[in-house]
């Protein structure tokens, strides 16, 4: 049996034909806790997307062969890729060009030259709205602190030993407090929708997570909702 674990590092596809800019963006995204995937053309990026759907795409407008606008149109026309957030990069600063980029479905727009820090900030802003569990910033809830970057959990200022799957579970719960999730939804979010494991595995890892949080009393935050699933709540 093959178990596929979903990484909490967001996969960011960078489509840029200027190697110096491509490497600069990749370096800054890696330092910010993301997983950069490089493509020097839209055609190459299209092949990569067929294999793995990225969490966000940074797309240059002026590309050899298929340009960024045409690639964005194709992404939006495909049901599997239509919801991927896209940030367009371009040397074109005219208002008409910005409007054209936004009209084909891009989510944001940066004019070259741009600050890598601003690009990272815009990526995080988009991911917070679309996939908040992918933004690697510390989360605090009722004295419980989870830091995705260092992969550490503290309860009342004391470190807690926690397994990798339990860490993912806790991260997911702390990003989605007060909401009820059934086992299948949790399987999809933590193990990925291609997982072939039994949904009762969720119960096993919930039990382990509760045991890890038991000493600080935070195990009570993980509530069983009879007939529905699980909820992370202080009430």
């Amino acid at each position: 049996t093959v178990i596929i674990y979903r990484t909490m590092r967001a996969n960011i596809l960078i489509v840029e034909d200027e190697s110096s800019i491509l490497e600069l963006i990749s370096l800054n995204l890696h330092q910010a806790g993301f997983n950069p995937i490089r493509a020097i053309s839209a055609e190459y990026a299209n092949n990569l997307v067929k294999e793995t759907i990225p969490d966000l795409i940074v797309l240059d407008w002026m590309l050899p062969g298929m340009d960024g606008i045409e690639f964005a149109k194709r992404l939006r026309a495909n049901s599997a890729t239509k919801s991927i957030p896209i940030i367009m990069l371009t040397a074109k600063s005219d208002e008409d060009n910005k409007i054209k980029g936004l009209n084909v479905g891009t989510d944001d727009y940066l004019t070259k030259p741009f600050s890598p820090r601003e690009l990272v900030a815009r990526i995080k802003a988009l991911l917070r709205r679309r996939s908040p569990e992918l933004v690697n910033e510390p989360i605090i809830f009722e004295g419980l602190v989870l830091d995705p970057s260092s992969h550490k959990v503290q309860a009342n200022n004391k470190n807690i030993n926690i397994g990798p799957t339990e860490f993912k579970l806790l991260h997911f719960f702390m990003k989605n407090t007060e909401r009820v999730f059934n086992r299948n939804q949790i399987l999809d979010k933590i193990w990925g929708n291609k997982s072939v494991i039994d949904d009762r595995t969720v119960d096993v890892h919930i039990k382990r997570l509760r045991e890890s949080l038991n000493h600080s009393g935070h195990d009570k935050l993980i509530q069983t909702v009879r007939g529905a699933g699980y909820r992370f709540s202080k009430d």
Side-chain angles (χ1 to χ4, degrees):
T1 301
V2 177
I3 300 175
I4 301 172
Y5 290 97
R6 192 187 196 292
T7 177
M8 299 305 287
R9 288 169 62 92
N11 292 317
I12 311 296
L13 175 60
I14 311 159
V15 192
E16 168 62 67
D17 64 318
E18 293 186 45
S19 59
S20 58
I21 296 177
L22 181 61
E23 291 306 314
L24 177 65
I25 295 173
S26 297
L27 175 62
N28 278 269
L29 293 189
H30 181 75
Q31 291 175 341
F34 298 116
N35 179 37
I37 302 169
R38 303 170 181 83
I40 59 172
S41 70
E43 288 81 4
Y44 183 55
N46 193 49
N47 290 330
L48 291 176
V49 168
K50 289 177 182 177
E51 297 175 5
T52 303
I53 301 295
D55 297 295
L56 183 144
I57 297 175
V58 177
L59 178 61
D60 186 30
W61 182 315
M62 301 297 289
L63 292 167
M66 186 195 313
D67 65 18
I69 289 292
E70 180 58 33
F71 185 43
K73 287 180 181 178
R74 293 193 182 191
L75 291 170
R76 291 295 178 249
N78 186 327
S79 60
T81 59
K82 65 181 181 181
S83 62
I84 302 174
I86 300 173
I87 297 179
M88 183 74 80
L89 302 179
T90 181
K92 300 172 180 285
S93 59
D94 294 344
E95 183 179 352
D96 287 346
N97 287 318
K98 292 181 180 179
I99 292 172
K100 183 177 180 181
L102 294 171
N103 281 343
V104 299
T106 60
D107 299 271
D108 205 349
Y109 192 105
L110 265 180
T111 304
K112 296 178 180 179
F114 58 87
S115 160
R117 289 179 61 190
E118 181 180 0
L119 175 60
V120 169
R122 293 194 183 205
I123 288 172
K124 287 184 175 180
L126 274 175
L127 289 178
R128 280 191 197 99
R129 296 198 295 269
R130 300 289 187 93
S131 305
E133 71 277 8
L134 296 174
V135 181
N136 290 334
E137 296 177 341
I139 314 165
I140 303 172
F141 187 81
E142 295 295 303
L144 198 62
V145 181
L146 181 146
D147 188 343
S149 298
S150 63
H151 216 270
K152 291 182 179 179
V153 177
Q154 286 189 332
N156 303 327
N157 298 316
K158 292 184 178 180
N159 289 333
I160 292 179
N161 291 324
I162 189 169
T165 302
E166 288 72 46
F167 184 91
K168 292 179 183 179
L169 264 175
L170 184 59
H171 192 188
F172 172 67
F173 279 136
M174 291 180 73
K175 280 289 189 178
N176 297 278
T177 59
E178 311 299 333
R179 293 180 58 188
V180 178
F181 295 93
N182 62 38
R183 292 183 183 89
N184 286 333
Q185 289 172 320
I186 295 172
L187 272 176
D188 182 31
K189 291 293 183 180
I190 306 303
W191 284 271
N193 57 15
K194 294 181 180 179
S195 173
V196 293
I197 64 176
D198 186 86
D199 61 2
R200 291 291 172 179
T201 302
V202 172
D203 298 338
V204 173
H205 288 285
I206 291 286
K207 182 175 182 290
R208 290 178 183 172
L209 179 56
R210 281 174 169 157
E211 289 171 352
S212 297
L213 301 176
N214 179 57
H215 296 296
S216 64
H218 288 92
D219 57 307
K220 297 179 178 64
L221 295 173
I222 306 171
Q223 302 170 1
T224 301
V225 181
R226 188 176 296 276
Y230 295 98
R231 174 177 57 210
F232 196 80
S233 173
K234 63 181 179 180
D235 298 323

